[in-house]
Amino acid sequence: MFKRISVLALFVFFVIILTGTIFAEPKYGGTLIWGRGGDSVGLDPICETDGESFKVTQQIFDTLVEYEPGTTNIKPALATSWSVSEDGLTWTFKLRKGVKFHDGTPFNAEAVKFNFDRWRLKDHPYHIPGEFKYYGWMFGDDLPGVIQDVVVIDDYTIQFVLKQKFATFLANLAMVPFGISSPTAIKKWGDDYFTHPVGTGPFKFVEWIKGDRIILEANEDYWDGRPYLDKIVFRSIPDNGARFMELQAGTVDIIDGVSPNDVEILKKTKGLKLVLRPSMNIGYFGLNQRFEPLKNVLVRRAICHAIDKEAIIEAFYAGLAIPAKNVLPPSLWGYNDEIEDYEYNPAKAKELLAEAGYPDGFEMELWAMPVPRPYMPQPKLIAQAIQQYLAEVGIKTKIVTYDWGTYLDKSREGLADSYLLGWTGDNGDPDNFIYVLLDKTNNDRHAYVNDELHEILVKAQQIFDQEERAALYKKAQVIIHNDAPFVFLVHSTPPLGLKENIEGYIPSPTGSEKLNTVWKR
């Protein structure tokens, strides 16, 4: 804990140094225009898995508990307090009174039960559209998952009865996908609810022009005080250069996905400032074991040896990243620093390919994301670099891409031989990286199965002692390293560009944050 607090203090100090900002007296009013690399996929948070969707839904919805700004420490939100039984199986939450959804209906224990029952019960009449990936990742795909029952004690007391001890339960509840929706709105809009979101959050949904912009307005009655801004506009500007030029021209107020090549220019431009998001991510090259050559662990290890991560970082991250050797970033407890990474060694890669029965290599598709992501600001260029590295050891690749939503869907269907993707942690727990990305129950994209790993990860979920859990996660990382289901590429420190008059913005390590404390000078 001491280490985490110290790191946070240093980070806040670092932000102040970078921005040259000491927060002044806030004022109300104005519109914030956020330029981002891609559009949202949907606005029903439980249905989505991508950061561009969460960036918006986090403004519209509240969760029962949430993270303190800039950290993953838990604090009250729609729940004001909570307790857990001695056996660790029953969690009781006291709910905030006097809160209303944006449609004017009351927030209460029945609304909480409606949401969780909708997510976890297949026979619930509003279990639509029915694929709530994040619920399965965090609470178990074998619905209803680890939550055995949700009981309304009274209007403002709700109880969760679990099947087993679940160490990450509270941290999971704070995650953006578990924002509480208006039951009335879900019943009204049905399958189309993802374009008509209604929560209790600081901003209300106004309009979505697909591929262009999403407009939100201030919730005057927000329980935590009216947000300072009158309006937020999330604009989709896929091209990094065009987005940066708009910031320079003053037509947007904040951009993320700043091209590392533009960081020095940004720092020197009068009227702009640089903010670095705390690093809690992994950018990786996924190897789908449905594809015959990639079933062979020697081939996967060969690919690990074939790619020069240091050169990729130097070329495409401007130093704002470190090479990754584990799925966990080193900022998380449980990180195994004793693991020795696969060195860049093309000759070794060729030896392994020959040993695996592919002395002349093979051909495969290499999928590249169409939009910049915090962990991969220039995916197309990185794909081209990987293509060259693989060609040097005899593996010919064809680069494939789709629009962002299609890319996510098709890769999740297991259609990509190999693919670029990444992950930004949601809650600061190792489970949120290892179980979500590499457990055999969450392997749609890569078909990686290791039963020993699964047993370790499930055991770690049922232990409250952090030291015991850390030991299990270190063991898990050894197994993953040997199996090489991914090439772990980088842990990045994502840069954001802001106009100098933007105040009160505290970037979250989870990749998105509420903007109710942001204001404009």
Side-chain angles (χ1 to χ4, degrees):
M1 177 61 76
F2 173 77
K3 184 178 180 182
R4 292 179 65 179
I5 291 173
S6 298
V7 169
L8 172 63
L10 284 173
F11 172 71
V12 171
F13 176 75
F14 191 39
V15 168
I16 291 173
I17 292 297
L18 281 172
T19 62
T21 297
I22 296 175
F23 298 157
E25 189 68 25
K27 69 176 185 181
Y28 290 91
T31 297
L32 181 84
I33 302 177
W34 187 303
R36 56 191 183 139
D39 200 359
S40 298
V41 176
L43 298 179
D44 180 355
I46 194 61
C47 295
E48 309 309 335
T49 62
D50 67 300
E52 297 305 344
S53 296
F54 294 151
K55 195 175 293 173
V56 178
T57 64
Q58 191 159 10
Q59 318 308 323
I60 302 171
F61 298 90
D62 290 312
T63 43
L64 292 181
V65 292
E66 63 185 20
Y67 307 117
E68 293 175 0
T71 78
T72 52
N73 300 329
I74 300 295
K75 72 169 195 164
L78 287 177
T80 56
S81 64
W82 52 89
S83 61
V84 59
S85 60
E86 286 190 9
D87 63 6
L89 298 180
T90 303
W91 290 77
T92 303
F93 292 82
K94 293 291 185 183
L95 303 180
R96 193 173 297 278
K97 298 179 181 177
V99 177
K100 288 189 176 180
F101 290 103
H102 300 156
D103 59 7
T105 57
F107 165 77
N108 52 31
E110 288 290 352
V112 176
K113 178 176 173 58
F114 179 94
N115 277 267
F116 277 86
D117 283 354
R118 176 194 177 217
W119 305 335
R120 70 190 188 87
L121 301 178
K122 288 183 179 178
D123 60 352
H124 189 277
Y126 295 97
H127 187 77
I128 51 177
E131 188 180 14
F132 305 133
K133 294 300 294 185
Y134 250 105
Y135 185 88
W137 291 343
M138 307 316 300
F139 297 118
D141 271 325
D142 54 336
L143 297 181
V146 73
I147 302 176
Q148 182 172 298
D149 201 3
V150 182
V151 182
V152 173
I153 304 300
D154 59 40
D155 283 354
Y156 296 101
T157 308
I158 193 88
Q159 201 168 71
F160 293 83
V161 181
L162 308 186
K163 290 179 182 174
Q164 62 197 39
K165 283 186 177 179
F166 199 59
T168 64
F169 182 65
L170 196 62
N172 288 357
L173 292 184
M175 290 167 48
V176 184
F178 303 114
I180 304 297
S181 288
S182 160
T184 302
I186 290 173
K187 293 173 184 175
K188 176 180 178 180
W189 294 106
D191 283 341
D192 205 29
Y193 176 68
F194 77 103
T195 62
H196 298 84
V198 178
T200 61
F203 291 91
K204 299 190 284 189
F205 174 75
V206 176
E207 184 181 24
W208 184 4
I209 302 172
K210 293 283 181 67
D212 184 12
R213 65 190 61 203
I214 292 174
I215 301 173
L216 310 180
E217 65 180 10
N219 175 6
E220 299 282 349
D221 301 318
Y222 188 50
W223 57 266
D224 199 23
R226 183 204 190 279
Y228 294 118
L229 298 165
D230 289 338
K231 191 182 291 187
I232 302 175
V233 179
F234 290 98
R235 286 186 53 198
S236 303
I237 310 172
D239 182 77
N240 285 349
R243 198 163 58 255
F244 185 57
M245 288 176 65
E246 291 232 25
L247 180 67
Q248 291 176 304
T251 51
V252 298
D253 297 299
I254 298 180
I255 64 169
D256 53 16
V258 175
S259 172
N261 299 332
D262 293 328
V263 167
E264 287 304 314
I265 300 173
L266 193 158
K267 288 163 68 175
K268 295 175 182 174
T269 301
K270 189 176 180 181
L272 301 182
K273 55 187 176 183
L274 171 70
V275 170
L276 299 179
R277 190 181 291 285
S279 180
M280 193 173 73
N281 61 42
I282 175 72
Y284 62 83
F285 181 39
L287 306 175
N288 187 350
Q289 295 182 34
R290 294 180 184 85
F291 182 58
E292 186 63 36
L294 300 182
K295 287 181 179 176
N296 191 319
V297 68
L298 297 178
V299 172
R300 301 196 299 273
R301 290 174 184 167
I303 292 174
C304 289
H305 280 297
I307 298 172
D308 188 345
K309 301 175 192 177
E310 295 278 6
I312 286 176
I313 289 172
E314 183 177 347
F316 305 116
Y317 287 84
L320 295 175
I322 59 172
K325 60 181 181 181
N326 293 314
V327 63
L328 287 185
S331 59
L332 284 195
W333 59 271
Y335 179 77
N336 191 339
D337 201 25
E338 295 179 358
I339 285 176
E340 186 175 342
D341 197 9
Y342 293 97
E343 64 172 340
Y344 171 56
N345 188 335
K348 178 70 174 177
K350 288 180 181 178
E351 287 177 17
L352 288 170
L353 285 173
E355 187 180 348
Y358 297 96
D360 299 320
F362 54 87
E363 297 182 9
M364 69 176 183
E365 291 185 346
L366 192 172
W367 287 28
M369 292 175 291
V371 294
R373 306 304 306 138
Y375 42 77
M376 205 168 292
Q378 303 180 88
K380 184 177 178 182
L381 295 177
I382 291 173
Q384 291 171 346
I386 291 175
Q387 184 179 48
Q388 290 183 15
Y389 286 126
L390 295 182
E392 289 173 7
V393 299
I395 301 173
K396 296 178 181 178
T397 56
K398 175 186 176 185
I399 294 179
V400 174
T401 193
Y402 296 95
D403 69 82
W404 186 219
T406 304
Y407 185 92
L408 292 172
D409 288 343
K410 284 185 173 291
S411 60
R412 191 178 296 123
E413 291 170 16
L415 300 179
D417 299 338
S418 66
Y419 56 94
L420 292 176
L421 207 54
W423 184 259
T424 298
D426 298 286
N427 62 18
D429 194 290
D431 178 80
N432 182 247
F433 278 83
I434 305 181
Y435 184 82
V436 171
L437 294 178
L438 290 165
D439 185 71
K440 69 177 185 179
T441 61
N442 295 322
N443 68 353
D444 296 349
R445 288 189 172 92
H446 47 72
Y448 169 52
V449 175
N450 187 306
D451 291 328
E452 182 186 5
L453 176 69
H454 174 72
E455 290 176 10
I456 289 172
L457 297 181
V458 171
K459 184 177 180 181
Q461 290 176 337
Q462 300 176 25
I463 297 172
F464 285 160
D465 185 275
Q466 190 174 103
E467 285 191 15
E468 288 184 49
R469 294 186 68 208
L472 290 170
Y473 288 128
K474 288 181 178 180
K475 187 175 179 182
Q477 287 164 83
V478 172
I479 294 171
I480 293 166
H481 174 79
N482 292 333
D483 288 346
F486 295 169
V487 181
F488 299 118
L489 295 174
V490 302
H491 304 294
S492 73
T493 304
L496 299 99
L498 280 70
K499 278 180 166 175
E500 203 170 47
N501 69 334
I502 303 302
E503 301 283 9
Y505 174 69
I506 303 175
S508 168
T510 65
S512 62
E513 51 280 312
K514 282 185 177 174
L515 299 174
N516 53 318
T517 60
V518 174
W519 57 283
K520 301 177 77 171
R521 274 192 282 116

